[in-house]
Amino acid sequence: MSGNGKVVGSAVLKVLGSGTATVTWKANGGPARVERDVPLPWEHSIDVVEEAPSEVRADGAGASGCTITMGDMLVSFKNEPNPVCEFAYWG
């Protein structure tokens, strides 16, 4: 976890598609984490910190979209090759 605000919940970062891709993700303004040749679909849960940006991006022929959900709410969605989804909670 990074950022200076308080934890306000959790989110799930997802990359949609089939095959494999390189997934790069950042949680709460922290450093980029790169996972190479991961099987799709891929997902990872993070804590959400107020006013801190998080993102997930994918690079690979099979990557067809991404989502970020916080609880039951879809907060970011892209349906395109090599997608990038971004989100920050501003309560």
Side-chain angles (χ1 to χ4, degrees), residues 10-83:
S10 62
V12 178
L13 313 175
K14 290 185 182 181
V15 175
L16 311 172
S18 60
T20 62
T22 296
V23 175
T24 304
W25 61 276
K26 296 180 193 179
N28 303 305
R33 296 188 170 112
V34 179
E35 298 185 28
R36 298 185 193 289
D37 299 318
V38 297
L40 300 177
W42 172 95
E43 72 177 61
H44 183 77
S45 296
I46 62 169
D47 288 329
V48 175
V49 174
E50 271 187 335
E51 302 179 12
S54 297
E55 72 175 51
V56 62
R57 62 180 61 227
D59 184 22
S64 61
C66 61
T67 65
I68 301 176
T69 55
M70 185 173 174
D72 293 333
M73 188 174 7
L74 180 65
V75 295
S76 185
F77 171 76
K78 294 288 172 122
N79 185 22
E80 59 193 23
N82 301 320

